[in-house]
Each structure stands twice: as structure tokens, then as C-alpha cells.
Amino acid sequence: MIVTNKYYLITLGCQMNEHDSEVICALVENMGYIATTMPEEADLIIINTCAVRKKPEDKVASLLGKFASLKTNKPNLIIAVGGCMSQQEDAAKYLKNRFPYLDLIFGTHALPRLPELISEAGNRKETIIDSEESYIDREGLPVAHRGRFKAWLPVIYGCNNYCSYCIVPYVRGRERSRNINDIIVEARKLVARGFIELTLLGQNVNSYGKDLPGQVTFAGLLAELNQIEGLERIRFMTSHPKDLSHDLIETVKNGEKICEHFHLPVQSGSDRILKAMNRRYTREQYLDLINIIKEEIPGVALTSDIIVGFPGESEDDFLATIDLLEKARFDNAFSFLYSPRRNTAAAGFTETLTRKDKEDRLQRLNDVQNRISKEINESLADQIVELLVEGESKGNPEILTGRTRTNKLVHFKNSENLTGKLVQVKITETRTWNLIGELQLKLDNKYV
Ligand code: SF4
């Protein structure tokens, strides 16, 4: 009787990590493992970690604590920790010392070596660490896409910006753009397999092409992808304001497949704090940029990231951030408490706020943003919007959920499962975080 080994994978962190997990799935499935959703059934457990804040790192410790007993009952169980936390040598050593039953610790750069690392881990008693700084090209690695009609498509890895609070350049390395033809070929293959929405990924997609020979730009890449027959929607994240070109704004405006949504982290509304963060733009430059985007692309959605409680942030700095929110009127903003990251420039800055101070400011900021998000959604009442239906809502199969081109979440009633279809829905009710609608039209032109 052939026993098939099972693997259990947990992914923490960003979209790039989710894509890395799709690569990990393909690599271990090519080794003969099949996926299980039950850790107690697994012969291989992998945690794909995130190091962007303390919280996801603490989550790793609690998960590993939970898995210790499984190892006692199943000594041949392989437990591996990958991702951004493992890419840092000191964090990898910390994991090895604190969780001696770990079999493998592998960084983001070790993905191409994962199959051999897992085979080796199965035959060795001591913990294997691979947090190699140097990276080998990961082009051509297999990907087990989780979706059926939406897929991630990385276009650039790493980041050269070294914002003072950010760990990413230390765990993802310097910027490496993928060859434009490789991206287009992969996109065509995905569309041929039925994917109709592609999200282009990069820590800073606006830097795409700067390290490639010739005049290759992100706007140029988008314009090429916009030609692909059968592709319905193109999204991209994340943009850095200092590199966002007018060319890109024009391309989004004129590209019928390119969704009208920019995720443009601002982080703070105070020039003093933006300087300390090494963001290399001023609040005025940022506000000018988003006003141009709004003028050029009416109805465009803008979302952002904000850090609250950066070392030295005074009440005036904080009020400058609130004032920027009022002026920018983001559709949504993801706000986080400042979390010092080892080895970053800001890790050496003196913290001036208590956790309570930070949490109070976070609440005040979210109250303002919630009001703005609600007002913007209210302006969509009675509008007819195009949705890509993502599936049935968890609680009720008769309620379907989809996203607009501006990335708004809309729920609507329908007996037929229209998952993966493009439909038109009339907005009948608005809320802070989502909308309710009525189905008008299936975009394969058959009226309901
Ligand atoms: S742009 Fe700044 S915040 Fe974004 S990944 Fe790069 S260093 Fe981090």
C-alpha cells in the first residue's frame, strides 16, 4: 500500500508571501506530498512567516508551541519555518534555540533549494538553517495557484528604498525586475487557463524595469498586458509615491483592463516624520500627486497605509496626519502601530509614546478614516457597477460577493452561483466597509 505524505502550510503576511506559498505548495506537491488542512495529519508542517511587525512574529512562536506535541507523537514529522523572519540570521538562530525540535529554517532566498532542504531535514537530527543572503534566480519555479480566475503575478522582487522603519529590504534583498517577456508569457498562460484577473506584485512596482537594460517601465509593462485577449482586469500593488510617474497615471486612465485603484502608502502627514522615515516625499508632493490622479481618472479609488506612533511623533505631527486624511479622502487606509524592527535605522530611535498613547491615536485616526470611507461609499448609492464575483458569502450561499474595479466589496442576492463571472449590480445600500446591491446583468449579455 502506497502511503502518501501530507503537508500542512500556514501563510502569514503580504500578497508576496501568499504567492511564495503557492510556489512552496507546487514544490512540495512535486515531491509527492498532498495538502491537508489538519496539522495532526501532516508529515510536513511549514509556516511561511512575516517579519513586518512584532505581531506576526509572535504568532509564529504560538504556532510552534502548539506543534511541539505533534512532534512528540510523530518523531518523523518535519517542522519547517520559512519566509521573512527566517531570512534574518539572528531571528533564525533565535528560532533554533527557542524551538530545538524545528527541522528546517529557510529564508525567502532559499525557495529554489526547498525540495533538497526538506529531503535533507528528513534525514538529519539537528536543525538546518538556510538564510543565505545571496539569491539565485527563481524564474521558472512552479506555482500552484490557489484561485481559479484571479492570480498573483510578481513582476519585481526586493526593495532599494530603506524606509527607516522597514525590514523588507533586509529580508527580500535589492530590487530585481523580472524579464518583461517572461511576465507576458506567464500572463498569457494564466489567461489561457481561465484566469481573468491578474494582480501584479512588488514591494515597489513603480521601480519595475529600472534595473533592466533598455527603456523598460512599469507603465510600459501594463500597456503590454492590457493587450492580452481574454484578460478582463489588471491590478497592481504596491506603489511608492516618489516613483509614481505621470506616464503610469495616463496608462491606467487609458488601459481598459487596468482597474482604477491605486494603493499608495503615505505612512504619515507630517514632513518631519516623513523625513525621519526616509520616505523622500513631502506631504505637499503627496497631496499634489493624488489630486492629479483624481483629476485624470474620475472615480478612481485610493487606499493607503499609515503608521501611528513613530518615534518622536508629536501631537502636532499626528494632527498633520489627520489633516492629510481629511484632504486626501482615501477610500480606505490600513493603519498600524509603529513596531520597531531589528536592524532597521529606526530601531535605534528613542520611542517617545506609551503603547496606550499609540492606541489612542490609532483609534482617533480610524474614527476619522471610517467616517470618510462611509461618506465615499454613500456616494455610490444607486450606481450600476461591474463586479467580478468571488464566491458565496460564508454565512449564506444565496448571497454572492464580488469586487468592483475600484476594489469595493459588494454583496448581492442570487440563486445561481456566478463565481468567476463579471456582472453588473445596482448599489442599493451602503456601509463603511462594503456595499449591498441588486443583480442587473451578467456581462455575457444575458438578462436575468
Ligand atoms: S518602499 Fe519602504 S516600506 Fe515599502 S517595502 Fe520598501 S523599504 Fe519597505
Side-chain angles (χ1 to χ4, degrees), residues 159-163 165-169 203-204 240 267 279:
C159 184
N160 295 357
N161 288 319
Y162 290 90
C163 301
Y165 53 83
C166 185
I167 195 84
V168 171
Q203 259 77 38
N204 178 14
H240 192 298
Q267 306 297 6
R279 290 293 286 173

Side-chain angles (χ1 to χ4, degrees), residues 45-106:
I45 291 179
I46 303 177
I47 306 174
N48 189 9
T49 65
C50 165
V52 84
R53 276 175 289 280
K54 189 169 179 307
K55 204 163 164 212
E57 291 197 334
D58 294 346
K59 173 95 179 157
V60 176
S62 72
L63 285 167
L64 288 173
K66 216 172 71 182
F67 296 148
S69 57
L70 297 179
K71 184 84 178 175
T72 321
N73 307 339
K74 204 181 210 175
N76 292 336
L77 167 65
I78 297 172
I79 303 183
V81 176
C84 292
M85 198 177 170
S86 304
Q87 184 57 45
Q88 304 159 80
E89 219 172 310
D90 47 3
K93 286 204 182 96
Y94 155 79
L95 286 169
K96 179 178 179 181
N97 299 336
R98 177 143 177 222
F99 306 100
Y101 51 85
L102 270 180
D103 300 283
L104 172 61
I105 300 168
F106 64 98

Side-chain angles (χ1 to χ4, degrees), residues 416 418 421-423 441-447:
E416 182 198 351
L418 298 166
K421 295 260 184 265
L422 286 169
V423 300
L441 176 72
K442 283 186 282 184
L443 287 181
D444 51 15
N445 293 325
K446 286 198 210 67
Y447 282 88

Side-chain angles (χ1 to χ4, degrees), residues 38 94 104 108 119 158 180 204 234 238 251-252 283 308 310 333 421 430:
M38 321 251 282
Y94 155 79
L104 172 61
T108 55
S119 310
I180 192 164
N204 178 14
I234 303 170
T238 295
T251 306
V252 173
R283 61 175 277 125
V308 171
F310 189 78
K421 295 260 184 265
T430 68

Side-chain angles (χ1 to χ4, degrees), residues 406-420:
T406 53
N407 214 27
K408 306 255 178 208
L409 206 57
V410 182
H411 306 292
F412 66 100
K413 232 173 182 300
N414 196 58
S415 52
E416 182 198 351
N417 186 344
L418 298 166
T419 300

